């Protein structure tokens, strides 16, 4: 009269490996302490890379503690095969998340050049007014080298310091009853998902009443940085449902749901 299903799954989520180490790690504490990269000598304070003290080889620490138990049961309540109570629940880890944060970092300084002008000095026809000399100082021969020049504000893309694999908790409970080849079913199904991927702006412009300063001048980490997109795992979602159905099994040539 009672059936049990028990399971346990274990899996790891190591960090993506960027072969040439094209990622950056920003620390607000390091910025305030004036930490300077020893790998890229012209990096703004607080921005470090592979090879700098304390930086993991792949930029972030993997998640190796993903145990996911699950349980399911079915109970023939009266032993007549007419009434059943079913239920289950478990932990379900997501697939390895997309390596998009690596792609964003690999196209930013010091491996690429990203210009983000929120309030340019020039007109629409000449938005780079005053920056011609800056652009001329970029040379293909210095890209990705320790002496790559930097002209703030720098635009960067990064991720939180360690992976926490997104996980969904699923659970359900169902009561079924058969009467004259008609099965009535009433069920509750719920789930909660945590550690979902979410992107935050780490360097927003602070509102100053009456100020005429441009956006970049009012940023938290001005004048060194412009926009700083940081991928975190702060997203949470919930789902709850009541599911009811009635099914007439096949008889006299037809079925009804």
């Amino acid at each position: 009269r009672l059936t049990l299903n028990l399971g346990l799954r274990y899996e790891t989520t190591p960090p993506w490996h960027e072969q040439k180490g094209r990622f950056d790690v920003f620390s607000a504490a390091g910025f305030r302490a004036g930490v300077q990269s020893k790998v890229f000598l012209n990096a703004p304070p607080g921005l470090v890379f592979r090879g700098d003290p304390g930086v993991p080889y792949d930029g972030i620490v993997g998640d190796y503690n993903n145990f996911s138990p699950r349980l399911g049961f079915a109970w023939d309540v009266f032993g007549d095969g007419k009434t059943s109570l079913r239920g289950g629940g478990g932990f379900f880890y997501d697939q390895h998340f997309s390596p998009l944060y690596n792609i964003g970092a690999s196209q930013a300084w010091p491996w690429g050049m990203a210009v983000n002008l929120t309030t340019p000095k020039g007109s629409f026809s000449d938005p780079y007014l005053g920056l011609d000399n800056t652009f001329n100082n970029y040379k293909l021969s210095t890209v990705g080298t320790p002496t790559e020049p930097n002209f703030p504000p720098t635009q960067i893309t990064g991720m939180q310091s360690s992976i926490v694999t997104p996980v969904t908790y699923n659970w359900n409970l169902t009561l079924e009853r058969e009467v004259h080849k008609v099965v009535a079913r009433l069920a509750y199904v719920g789930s909660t998902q945590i550690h979902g991927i979410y992107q935050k702006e780490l360097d927003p412009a602070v509102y100053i009443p009456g100020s005429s300063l441009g956006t970049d001048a009012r940023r938290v980490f001005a004048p060194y940085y412009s926009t700083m997109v940081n991928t975190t795992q702060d997203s949470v979602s919930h789902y709850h449902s009541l599911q009811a159905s009635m099914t007439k099994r096949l008889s006299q040539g037809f079925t009804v749901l």
Side-chain angles (χ1 to χ4, degrees), residues 20-254:
K20 298 183 180 180
R22 291 173 295 187
F23 61 80
D24 53 53
V25 177
F26 174 78
S27 167
F31 175 85
R32 289 189 289 267
V35 173
Q36 194 71 37
S37 172
K38 295 178 172 55
V39 177
F40 295 100
L41 306 181
N42 296 315
L47 190 65
V48 289
F49 305 86
R50 176 185 288 173
D52 280 318
V55 177
Y57 188 75
D58 286 310
I60 55 178
V61 179
D63 188 2
Y64 304 98
N65 190 33
N66 298 338
F67 290 92
S68 51
R70 62 280 310 271
L71 161 70
F73 74 90
W75 178 35
D76 183 354
V77 180
F78 302 112
D80 58 2
K82 299 289 187 180
T83 304
S84 68
L85 184 65
R86 309 173 189 273
F91 296 15
F92 300 90
Y93 286 93
D94 199 356
Q95 302 176 23
H96 202 309
F97 55 81
S98 169
L100 288 177
Y101 80 97
N102 281 99
I103 296 175
S106 68
Q107 296 173 348
W109 188 89
W111 302 281
M113 180 179 176
V115 177
N116 189 326
L117 298 177
T118 308
T119 51
K121 295 181 180 179
S123 63
F124 187 78
S125 60
D126 186 17
Y128 297 148
L129 180 67
L131 295 176
D132 294 342
N133 187 52
T134 297
F135 293 154
N136 291 335
N137 281 312
Y138 278 99
K139 299 178 181 179
L140 186 61
S141 60
T142 64
V143 171
T145 67
T147 57
E148 168 76 347
N150 178 269
F151 301 97
T154 303
Q155 177 181 346
I156 63 173
T157 301
M159 189 171 178
Q160 65 183 40
S161 59
S162 61
I163 297 173
V164 183
T165 312
V167 59
T168 299
Y169 305 103
N170 283 331
W171 58 91
N172 62 83
L173 185 65
T174 304
L175 179 64
E176 294 179 328
R177 174 66 181 175
E178 180 185 7
V179 180
H180 301 302
K181 296 184 180 181
V182 175
V183 178
R185 181 181 295 109
L186 190 65
Y188 163 71
V189 177
S191 68
T192 291
Q193 185 262 339
I194 61 174
H195 305 309
I197 299 298
Y198 185 77
Q199 289 189 325
K200 289 182 178 179
E201 172 60 64
L202 292 186
D203 197 19
V206 178
Y207 174 68
I208 303 174
S211 174
S212 61
L213 293 175
T215 300
D216 288 336
R218 292 183 288 106
R219 292 188 182 275
V220 175
F221 300 107
Y224 297 97
Y225 296 95
S226 61
T227 181
M228 300 169 62
V229 178
N230 187 253
T231 300
T232 68
Q233 294 180 258
D234 296 334
S235 176
V236 177
S237 62
H238 303 282
Y239 174 78
H240 302 282
S241 70
L242 175 66
Q243 302 178 5
S245 67
M246 185 171 291
T247 305
K248 175 190 175 299
R249 295 180 177 178
L250 184 62
S251 64
Q252 298 179 346
F254 73 98

